[in-house]
Amino acid sequence: QKEVEQDPGPLSVPEGAIVSLNCTYSNSAFQYFMWYRQYSRKGPELLMYTYSSGNKEDGRFTAQVDKSSKYISLFIRDSQPSDSATYLCAMSRDDKIIFGKGTRLHILP
Amino acid sequence: EPEVTQTPSHQVTQMGQEVILRCVPISNHLYFYWYRQILGQKVEFLVSFYNNEISEKSEIFDDQFSVERPDGSNFTLKIRSTKLEDSAMYFCASRPGNNSPLHFGNGTRLTVT
Protein backbone atom coordinates (compact mmCIF):
# COMPACT_ATOMS: atom_id res chain seq x y z
CA GLN A 1 0.00 0.00 0.00
CA LYS A 2 1.35 3.43 -0.95
CA GLU A 3 2.02 5.86 1.88
CA VAL A 4 -0.19 8.56 0.38
CA GLU A 5 -3.04 7.93 -2.03
CA GLN A 6 -4.70 10.66 -4.07
CA ASP A 7 -7.05 10.31 -7.03
CA PRO A 8 -5.35 12.02 -10.00
CA GLY A 9 -8.64 13.04 -11.63
CA PRO A 10 -9.23 15.04 -13.72
CA LEU A 11 -12.12 16.51 -11.80
CA SER A 12 -14.38 18.95 -13.67
CA VAL A 13 -16.95 21.05 -11.85
CA PRO A 14 -19.02 24.12 -12.83
CA GLU A 15 -18.04 27.56 -11.58
CA GLY A 16 -19.53 28.32 -8.17
CA ALA A 17 -19.70 24.69 -7.06
CA ILE A 18 -18.11 23.31 -3.91
CA VAL A 19 -15.07 21.20 -4.66
CA SER A 20 -13.97 18.31 -2.45
CA LEU A 21 -10.45 16.90 -2.79
CA ASN A 22 -9.23 13.97 -0.70
CA CYS A 23 -6.20 11.94 0.29
CA THR A 24 -5.74 8.84 2.38
CA TYR A 25 -2.57 7.70 4.06
CA SER A 26 -1.31 4.54 5.67
CA ASN A 27 1.43 5.68 8.06
CA SER A 28 0.19 6.94 11.42
CA ALA A 29 3.58 8.63 11.95
CA PHE A 30 2.48 11.53 9.74
CA GLN A 31 1.96 14.53 11.96
CA TYR A 32 1.50 17.56 9.73
CA PHE A 33 -0.72 17.88 6.71
CA MET A 34 -0.56 20.35 3.86
CA TRP A 35 -2.34 21.22 0.68
CA TYR A 36 -0.47 22.77 -2.23
CA ARG A 37 -1.74 24.19 -5.50
CA GLN A 38 0.40 23.80 -8.62
CA TYR A 39 -0.14 25.63 -11.88
CA SER A 40 1.44 24.26 -15.04
CA ARG A 41 5.25 24.61 -15.08
CA LYS A 42 5.27 26.32 -11.68
CA GLY A 43 6.35 25.22 -8.22
CA PRO A 44 3.82 24.02 -5.64
CA GLU A 45 2.25 26.89 -3.70
CA LEU A 46 1.21 26.32 -0.09
CA LEU A 47 -2.53 26.70 0.52
CA MET A 48 -3.20 25.15 3.92
CA TYR A 49 -1.15 23.68 6.77
CA THR A 50 -2.63 21.84 9.70
CA TYR A 51 -1.58 19.59 12.54
CA SER A 52 -4.55 18.37 14.51
CA SER A 53 -7.72 16.54 13.57
CA GLY A 54 -10.59 18.84 12.74
CA ASN A 55 -11.23 21.73 10.39
CA LYS A 56 -9.17 24.78 9.47
CA GLU A 57 -10.64 27.54 7.37
CA ASP A 58 -8.93 30.23 5.28
CA GLY A 59 -11.17 32.26 3.01
CA ARG A 60 -12.82 29.93 0.49
CA PHE A 61 -10.62 26.99 1.56
CA THR A 62 -11.27 24.51 4.37
CA ALA A 63 -8.84 21.75 5.29
CA GLN A 64 -10.13 18.78 7.23
CA VAL A 65 -8.06 16.10 8.94
CA ASP A 66 -9.35 12.84 10.39
CA LYS A 67 -6.39 11.06 11.95
CA SER A 68 -8.45 8.11 13.15
CA SER A 69 -9.48 7.33 9.55
CA LYS A 70 -6.17 8.52 8.05
CA TYR A 71 -8.09 10.78 5.71
CA ILE A 72 -7.65 14.44 4.79
CA SER A 73 -9.79 16.73 2.65
CA LEU A 74 -9.67 20.15 1.05
CA PHE A 75 -12.92 21.96 0.29
CA ILE A 76 -13.10 24.93 -2.05
CA ARG A 77 -16.25 27.04 -1.85
CA ASP A 78 -17.55 29.25 -4.65
CA SER A 79 -15.03 27.77 -7.07
CA GLN A 80 -13.57 30.07 -9.73
CA PRO A 81 -11.95 29.33 -13.12
CA SER A 82 -8.67 30.58 -11.58
CA ASP A 83 -8.85 27.63 -9.16
CA SER A 84 -8.15 25.31 -12.11
CA ALA A 85 -4.83 23.68 -11.21
CA THR A 86 -3.36 20.53 -9.74
CA TYR A 87 -3.88 20.15 -5.99
CA LEU A 88 -1.31 18.19 -4.04
CA CYS A 89 -1.74 16.82 -0.57
CA ALA A 90 1.45 16.45 1.45
CA MET A 91 2.30 14.93 4.81
CA SER A 92 5.24 15.33 7.09
CA ARG A 93 7.02 12.73 9.17
CA ASP A 94 10.49 13.15 10.66
CA ASP A 95 12.43 15.26 8.21
CA LYS A 96 10.56 14.17 5.12
CA ILE A 97 7.49 15.49 3.35
CA ILE A 98 5.68 13.02 1.11
CA PHE A 99 3.33 14.17 -1.64
CA GLY A 100 0.27 12.59 -3.17
CA LYS A 101 0.10 12.31 -6.96
CA GLY A 102 -2.04 15.43 -7.21
CA THR A 103 -5.60 15.90 -8.47
CA ARG A 104 -6.13 17.91 -11.66
CA LEU A 105 -9.09 20.24 -11.18
CA HIS A 106 -10.95 22.05 -13.96
CA ILE A 107 -13.50 24.73 -13.09
CA LEU A 108 -15.84 25.21 -16.02
CA PRO A 109 -17.03 28.82 -16.61
CA GLU B 1 7.09 38.19 0.62
CA PRO B 2 10.45 36.34 0.58
CA GLU B 3 10.69 33.49 -1.89
CA VAL B 4 12.89 30.61 -2.97
CA THR B 5 14.66 31.40 -6.23
CA GLN B 6 16.08 28.88 -8.67
CA THR B 7 18.38 29.27 -11.64
CA PRO B 8 18.39 28.56 -14.48
CA SER B 9 14.71 28.17 -15.28
CA HIS B 10 15.58 25.79 -18.13
CA GLN B 11 18.77 23.78 -18.67
CA VAL B 12 19.48 21.65 -21.71
CA THR B 13 22.42 19.28 -21.55
CA GLN B 14 23.81 16.28 -23.36
CA MET B 15 23.78 12.83 -21.85
CA GLY B 16 26.89 12.21 -19.76
CA GLN B 17 27.46 15.87 -18.96
CA GLU B 18 27.52 17.32 -15.47
CA VAL B 19 24.90 19.88 -14.45
CA ILE B 20 24.57 22.10 -11.41
CA LEU B 21 21.17 23.42 -10.43
CA ARG B 22 21.18 26.43 -8.17
CA CYS B 23 18.84 27.60 -5.46
CA VAL B 24 18.70 30.50 -3.03
CA PRO B 25 16.44 29.46 -0.13
CA ILE B 26 14.56 31.95 2.04
CA SER B 27 17.15 33.64 4.24
CA ASN B 28 16.06 32.58 7.75
CA HIS B 29 15.25 28.99 6.76
CA LEU B 30 17.31 26.13 8.13
CA TYR B 31 16.05 23.06 6.27
CA PHE B 32 16.62 22.62 2.55
CA TYR B 33 15.24 20.12 0.07
CA TRP B 34 15.36 19.01 -3.51
CA TYR B 35 12.37 17.39 -5.20
CA ARG B 36 11.92 16.11 -8.73
CA GLN B 37 8.82 15.97 -10.92
CA ILE B 38 8.90 14.04 -14.17
CA LEU B 39 6.36 15.47 -16.64
CA GLY B 40 2.85 14.43 -15.67
CA GLN B 41 3.98 12.54 -12.58
CA LYS B 42 4.11 13.16 -8.85
CA VAL B 43 6.51 15.37 -6.92
CA GLU B 44 9.23 13.01 -5.62
CA PHE B 45 11.52 13.60 -2.67
CA LEU B 46 15.25 13.51 -3.45
CA VAL B 47 17.13 14.82 -0.45
CA SER B 48 16.90 16.92 2.69
CA PHE B 49 19.75 18.98 4.12
CA TYR B 50 20.18 20.46 7.57
CA ASN B 51 23.12 21.78 9.57
CA ASN B 52 25.45 21.37 6.58
CA GLU B 53 24.77 17.72 6.01
CA ILE B 54 22.30 15.43 4.32
CA SER B 55 19.63 14.38 6.80
CA GLU B 56 17.72 12.03 4.53
CA LYS B 57 17.81 10.89 0.91
CA SER B 58 15.62 8.75 -1.32
CA GLU B 59 16.58 5.77 -3.45
CA ILE B 60 16.56 8.11 -6.47
CA PHE B 61 19.44 10.11 -4.94
CA ASP B 62 22.26 7.78 -5.92
CA ASP B 63 25.99 8.40 -6.29
CA GLN B 64 25.41 10.54 -9.37
CA PHE B 65 23.76 13.20 -7.22
CA SER B 66 25.29 15.51 -4.66
CA VAL B 67 24.22 18.63 -2.80
CA GLU B 68 26.21 21.47 -1.39
CA ARG B 69 25.70 24.69 0.49
CA PRO B 70 28.87 26.46 -0.56
CA ASP B 71 28.12 29.72 1.24
CA GLY B 72 25.45 31.19 3.48
CA SER B 73 22.88 31.66 0.75
CA ASN B 74 23.18 29.12 -2.08
CA PHE B 75 22.09 25.49 -2.15
CA THR B 76 23.08 23.42 -5.18
CA LEU B 77 22.20 20.06 -6.70
CA LYS B 78 24.84 18.47 -8.92
CA ILE B 79 24.22 15.58 -11.28
CA ARG B 80 27.59 14.16 -12.28
CA SER B 81 26.79 12.28 -15.47
CA THR B 82 23.28 12.98 -16.69
CA LYS B 83 21.05 10.30 -18.17
CA LEU B 84 18.00 10.71 -20.40
CA GLU B 85 15.76 9.70 -17.51
CA ASP B 86 17.05 12.63 -15.42
CA SER B 87 14.92 14.93 -17.59
CA ALA B 88 12.41 16.49 -15.18
CA MET B 89 11.50 19.61 -13.23
CA TYR B 90 13.73 19.98 -10.20
CA PHE B 91 12.29 21.95 -7.31
CA CYS B 92 14.21 23.41 -4.42
CA ALA B 93 12.33 24.01 -1.18
CA SER B 94 13.10 25.33 2.27
CA ARG B 95 11.47 25.73 5.65
CA PRO B 96 12.39 27.56 8.86
CA GLY B 97 11.88 24.66 11.26
CA ASN B 98 11.24 20.95 11.28
CA ASN B 99 7.50 21.35 11.82
CA SER B 100 6.89 24.09 9.29
CA PRO B 101 5.53 23.77 5.75
CA LEU B 102 7.83 23.79 2.73
CA HIS B 103 8.17 26.80 0.47
CA PHE B 104 9.05 25.94 -3.12
CA GLY B 105 10.87 27.69 -5.91
CA ASN B 106 9.49 27.67 -9.45
CA GLY B 107 11.85 24.92 -10.51
CA THR B 108 14.50 24.24 -13.12
CA ARG B 109 13.38 22.27 -16.14
CA LEU B 110 16.23 19.92 -17.03
CA THR B 111 16.25 18.42 -20.51
CA VAL B 112 18.84 15.74 -21.23
CA THR B 113 19.35 14.97 -24.92
Side-chain angles (χ1 to χ4, degrees):
Chain A
Q1 185 181 9
K2 291 180 182 169
E3 278 194 292
V4 180
E5 299 265 16
Q6 184 176 13
D7 186 337
L11 177 65
S12 297
V13 299
E15 184 176 355
I18 295 174
V19 176
S20 172
L21 303 166
N22 311 295
C23 285
T24 59
Y25 61 97
S26 58
N27 191 338
S28 57
F30 287 126
Q31 296 178 309
Y32 298 89
F33 305 89
M34 290 144 280
W35 285 95
Y36 287 83
R37 178 174 62 196
Q38 187 178 26
Y39 293 112
S40 181
R41 299 193 182 277
K42 295 287 189 182
E45 171 196 358
L46 179 69
L47 286 176
M48 300 288 283
Y49 175 69
T50 185
Y51 168 72
S52 55
S53 282
N55 292 354
K56 181 177 179 179
E57 198 171 307
D58 184 359
R60 296 186 296 114
F61 298 94
T62 300
Q64 190 175 77
V65 174
D66 182 345
K67 287 188 176 182
S68 61
S69 301
K70 298 189 180 69
Y71 188 90
I72 68 170
S73 299
L74 177 72
F75 299 97
I76 307 174
R77 288 183 298 282
D78 187 25
S79 54
Q80 308 292 311
S82 57
D83 294 328
S84 297
T86 297
Y87 288 80
L88 309 166
C89 65
M91 310 183 185
S92 175
R93 60 167 174 80
D94 305 320
D95 196 26
K96 203 166 166 181
I97 293 182
I98 307 295
F99 283 82
K101 279 188 173 181
T103 300
R104 283 184 295 134
L105 174 66
H106 298 291
I107 305 299
L108 307 169
Chain B
E1 187 176 321
E3 57 183 27
V4 176
T5 56
Q6 290 185 245
T7 55
S9 58
H10 188 195
Q11 173 90 49
V12 182
T13 189
Q14 287 189 324
M15 198 167 52
Q17 295 297 303
E18 175 184 285
V19 293
I20 297 176
L21 309 183
R22 301 179 190 280
C23 171
V24 179
I26 295 173
S27 62
N28 64 340
H29 287 192
L30 301 177
Y31 294 79
F32 312 111
Y33 299 77
W34 283 99
Y35 282 80
R36 179 182 83 174
Q37 187 175 35
I38 294 170
L39 185 64
Q41 297 188 26
K42 67 182 290 185
V43 176
E44 299 176 291
F45 170 76
L46 291 178
V47 65
S48 58
F49 192 88
Y50 170 71
N51 202 25
N52 286 319
E53 61 183 22
I54 290 173
S55 45
E56 192 163 352
K57 58 184 180 180
S58 73
E59 58 277 6
I60 301 169
F61 194 89
D62 61 21
D63 291 345
Q64 293 300 311
F65 291 87
S66 62
V67 289
E68 203 173 48
R69 188 155 162 81
D71 52 43
S73 59
N74 291 285
F75 181 51
T76 62
L77 174 70
K78 183 194 289 187
I79 309 174
R80 256 180 277 283
S81 178
T82 50
K83 303 188 281 287
L84 294 176
E85 54 265 36
D86 293 328
S87 295
M89 285 289 285
Y90 288 82
F91 292 108
C92 174
S94 67
R95 57 179 177 171
N98 201 21
N99 295 327
S100 308
L102 284 176
H103 296 264
F104 283 83
N106 274 326
T108 293
R109 183 156 60 105
L110 177 65
T111 303
V112 182
T113 62

